[in-house]
Amino acid sequence: MKNKLLVVIIIVVVIGGIGAVIGPKIYRDYFVKKADKSPESKISDNQDTVKIADLAGEWHVGDGSYAGYRVNEVLNGTDVTVTGRTKKVSGNIVVKNKTLESATINLKVADIKTDASKRDDYFRTKALETSKYPDATFVLSQPVKLDKGAATYNVTGTMMIHGVKKTLTIPIKTGYQNQRVQLASSIPVTFKDFNVNAPSLGFVKVEDHGKVEVFLSLTK
């Protein structure tokens, strides 16, 4: 009897979607990986002391860096927060005369992964079309005067996602530890602004906005 019941449950789950069968709160609390913390949380409040002049030079994205997204899935009125991550991030920044003069950051969108391969396949194919647009980039368009090694700055640049470029001003939290510059940002985006249709995964739908999240550990 137990074996028959198990078979029926498996069939229902496959056909109807696990969230629709077991209920949205159980789906959120037990079947979805807990969302990763925001990248800003990785920057310690206990910073190494550093003079702005010591930051001069060219810095490159190093180990420990990552990028990705944060979105809310909605199942029968219950929000489920999902985070995707990739370590395939590259780029550099240049600091000169106590000013952030240039910055170029590139991430491999096609490599972003969550806890569900089917969700990832949908984002790569129907939502972000990563075979056509495998990268997302941010390029600084206005220099930023620096007055502290650890602070939050508003930075203006060009963000390209899905082949579409938009000028955005974003907050970036900075830090300095173990001779590395740390940068973190959570960038609000609306899918339609980048010609991306809000994904629908059948029994769950994704809200029409989310965040691009970046944490950079930079070394000379």
Side-chain angles (χ1 to χ4, degrees), residues 38-39 66-70 83 85 185-186 211-215:
S38 69
Y66 68 82
Y69 64 78
R70 180 181 300 268
T83 49
R85 296 285 186 256
S185 185
S186 296
K211 292 181 178 179
V212 175
E213 298 188 323
V214 181
F215 175 80

Side-chain angles (χ1 to χ4, degrees), residues 12 16-18 39 54 57 72 75-76 94-95 104 144 158 194 205 214:
V12 172
I18 190 169
D54 294 336
N72 279 341
L75 173 62
N76 294 336
V94 175
V95 177
T104 301
V144 180
T158 301
F194 294 93
K205 292 185 178 181
V214 181

